[in-house]
Amino acid sequence: YYQIAVLGYGTVGSGVVEVLDTNKESIKKRAGEEIHIKYVLDLRDFPGSPIENILVHDFETIINDPEVKIVVEVMGGVEPAYTFSKRALEAGKSVCTSNKELVARHGLELIEIAKAHKVNYMFEASCGGGIPIIRPLNSSLTADEIDEITGILNGTTNYILTEMGDRYADFDEVLKEAQEKGYAERNPEADVEGYDACRKIAILSSLAYGAHVNYENIYTEGITRITAEDMKYASLLGMKVKLLATSKRKGEKFYAMVCPELVGKNSPLYSVNGVFNAIFVHGNVLGDAMFYGSGAGKLPTASAVVGDVVDCAKHQGKTVVTYWSSKVLDQVDIKDVEHRFFVRVKGNLQKDKEKIEVLFGKAEFISVPGLDNEFGFVTEMMSEGTFDEKAAALPEILGRIRIRA
Ligand code: HSE
């Protein structure tokens, strides 16, 4: 059988152990041989747990064991995951991971190291949890020139926005509930500020466009400034607020951004609610496709990790081509990206309408019954740069949300 080691016995690590046990027989048939966990590495002890007897605290035990051919890295964070992954690959062991921080930061380098040692670095679980998206981009959609990826790539924020929209509740209140229910972390910053979605769209874009996208160069805006009032306007507009991570071709260049957007009923992303994720892809010959499913959680994420383990087992001694070039993707300045904008302002619709039309040109006005000292309007398509200039001339702007065309 194939001997593997699992680094980290947290949520995903224990999920991997469980999946390999639950589906032992079917996995064996698909992999050709049984996949057997020889070691689990963790700093903690787990007395009475199923891994009690295979638990080790020292990575050297794993790296020095030639029987271990595949290492599952589900520790999270950059270090020591980076050092361990690198050393495992250099020692001729394939590595499968769910670690999006690490893949976004060092994926390119780790793929190169894997290639040099005729092993694999696989990371299906790093984006969209259990949803197959890395493998489709790597192998199923290779006939296409991809020109757009738009994803709801974070379950925590999609849950929060869905709840806020359903009940017109405020962000802070729903975040607190989500934390109590375990849908949001105690430190929710990476999720609610959009950093997690940013790393994931950087990974997906690098694979889709065959050029490296540095996540630090992606404009990122989270959901912390979205309010219950915004949700009332959204519902009058027949739209929903979603945290979208987008990368899109614009002429010969691309742009990537993460921000809350208003999405209408004609978009397939409109119906992606709660903790679910979805990734919409447009290819020049494929047309539209959307991948939908469980984007987080123990078993869905473990399912993707174990799928990679099986793939590594089937490709011993051979590197599956992952096209992630070191050439940096040519990005458009965000100021030139065009959207329609929904804007909320303080004031009186009848009195201020003309002033806004002078400034913004044609606009669609909207007021919400019960919200008396404010109103909203929707602009025509305009660039971010133009919008910012015009918005600076508005005296009391309460908020603005981009609208998905
Ligand atoms: N915090 C992430 C989410 C977990 O909410 O989607 C999956 O990467």
Side-chain angles (χ1 to χ4, degrees):
Y1 37 69
Y2 297 109
Q3 294 279 28
I4 74 166
V6 177
L7 314 183
Y9 195 62
T11 306
V12 184
S14 57
V16 167
V17 173
E18 189 177 327
V19 168
L20 281 169
D21 184 50
T22 308
N23 293 339
K24 194 190 244 162
E25 289 309 317
S26 56
I27 291 170
K28 182 179 168 182
K29 283 181 202 137
R30 293 197 165 96
E33 280 179 55
E34 188 181 320
I35 291 172
H36 183 256
I37 305 175
K38 188 163 182 183
Y39 308 107
V40 173
L41 177 82
D42 206 289
L43 289 172
R44 300 162 291 182
D45 283 309
F46 297 93
S49 81
I51 54 117
E52 197 180 2
N53 298 325
I54 53 169
L55 188 70
V56 293
H57 298 302
D58 187 359
F59 179 65
E60 301 309 316
T61 314
I62 293 168
I63 200 82
N64 293 324
D65 187 335
E67 269 184 23
V68 174
K69 299 284 189 240
I70 300 164
V71 171
V72 169
E73 184 272 298
V74 283
M75 314 174 74
V78 173
E79 279 299 354
Y82 171 59
T83 304
F84 289 175
S85 301
K86 200 170 161 175
R87 288 191 58 203
L89 294 169
E90 284 166 351
K93 303 177 196 299
S94 285
V95 175
C96 305
T97 188
S98 60
N99 189 333
K100 56 237 167 156
E101 290 100 324
L102 184 56
V103 177
R105 196 183 287 249
H106 296 294
L108 175 61
E109 182 198 356
L110 293 169
I111 288 167
E112 290 303 315
I113 297 174
K115 207 153 86 185
H117 292 85
K118 292 197 169 50
V119 290
N120 286 288
Y121 184 62
M122 291 194 178
F123 43 91
E124 180 62 70
S126 66
C127 299
I131 307 171
I133 182 62
I134 304 288
R135 197 161 279 102
L137 287 177
N138 258 344
S139 50
S140 322
L141 302 178
T142 44
D144 266 79
E145 295 277 348
I146 307 285
D147 45 39
E148 177 183 348
I149 304 176
T150 298
I152 294 177
L153 293 173
N154 184 268
T156 304
T157 47
N158 204 42
Y159 172 83
I160 293 175
L161 289 172
T162 302
E163 288 293 310
M164 286 174 71
D166 286 353
R167 313 187 255 131
Y168 303 136
D170 266 315
F171 172 76
D172 292 326
E173 178 192 333
V174 178
L175 171 63
K176 210 166 146 256
E177 280 173 24
Q179 284 171 317
E180 281 160 12
K181 289 184 178 155
Y183 293 151
E185 308 260 353
R186 245 172 310 147
N187 177 1
E189 195 191 1
D191 293 317
V192 301
E193 296 295 353
Y195 308 149
D196 178 71
C198 167
R199 292 183 193 114
K200 291 169 177 167
I201 194 71
I203 298 169
L204 296 177
S205 308
S206 297
L207 292 174
Y209 307 132
H212 183 64
V213 180
N214 183 342
Y215 70 93
E216 285 165 334
N217 297 336
I218 296 178
Y219 174 86
T220 301
E221 203 180 292
I223 64 162
T224 56
R225 280 180 290 177
I226 303 292
T227 65
E229 289 74 30
D230 290 331
M231 294 300 181
K232 292 182 183 166
Y233 285 97
S235 126
L236 275 185
L237 288 165
M239 294 180 165
K240 284 183 183 169
V241 183
K242 298 284 174 200
L243 181 68
L244 299 185
T246 303
S247 66
K248 214 167 173 174
R249 185 189 296 275
K250 200 172 187 285
E252 287 306 300
K253 294 187 170 184
F254 290 84
Y255 73 86
M257 66 194 296
V258 175
C259 60
E261 290 188 47
L262 282 158
V263 176
K265 291 194 175 90
N266 54 355
S267 165
L269 294 164
Y270 177 88
S271 311
V272 178
N273 294 315
V275 293
F276 283 98
N277 283 18
I279 303 108
F280 170 89
V281 178
H282 185 271
N284 68 339
V285 285
L286 163 80
D288 293 346
M290 191 165 90
F291 302 81
Y292 169 89
S294 303
K298 174 174 163 168
L299 293 177
T301 309
S303 157
V305 176
V306 175
D308 279 352
V309 171
V310 171
D311 209 15
C312 285
K314 292 198 295 196
H315 290 95
Q316 296 269 326
K318 186 176 182 298
T319 308
V320 179
V321 177
T322 301
Y323 184 48
W324 184 330
S325 161
S326 56
K327 185 181 140 251
V328 174
L329 189 78
D330 209 352
Q331 281 197 59
V332 181
D333 186 340
I334 207 79
K335 288 221 166 318
D336 297 328
V337 174
E338 291 189 340
H339 277 100
R340 283 162 74 213
F341 292 83
F342 161 71
V343 192
R344 263 175 68 210
V345 282
K346 242 187 184 160
N348 178 283
L349 177 53
Q350 297 317 321
K351 235 174 63 210
D352 300 325
K353 195 173 170 189
E354 208 185 308
K355 194 169 67 192
I356 285 170
E357 281 172 333
V358 169
L359 198 56
F360 282 89
K362 220 172 119 225
E364 188 189 314
F365 291 88
I366 171 171
S367 51
V368 171
L371 295 181
D372 294 332
N373 300 314
E374 61 166 276
F375 61 94
F377 65 95
V378 173
T379 72
E380 302 276 270
M381 279 291 254
M382 61 180 65
S383 71
E384 295 272 334
T386 307
F387 176 79
D388 287 345
E389 276 169 33
K390 292 182 190 293
L394 280 174
E396 295 196 77
I397 184 160
L398 295 169
R400 59 102 180 81
I401 307 175
R402 295 168 184 89
I403 299 183
R404 175 87 354 186

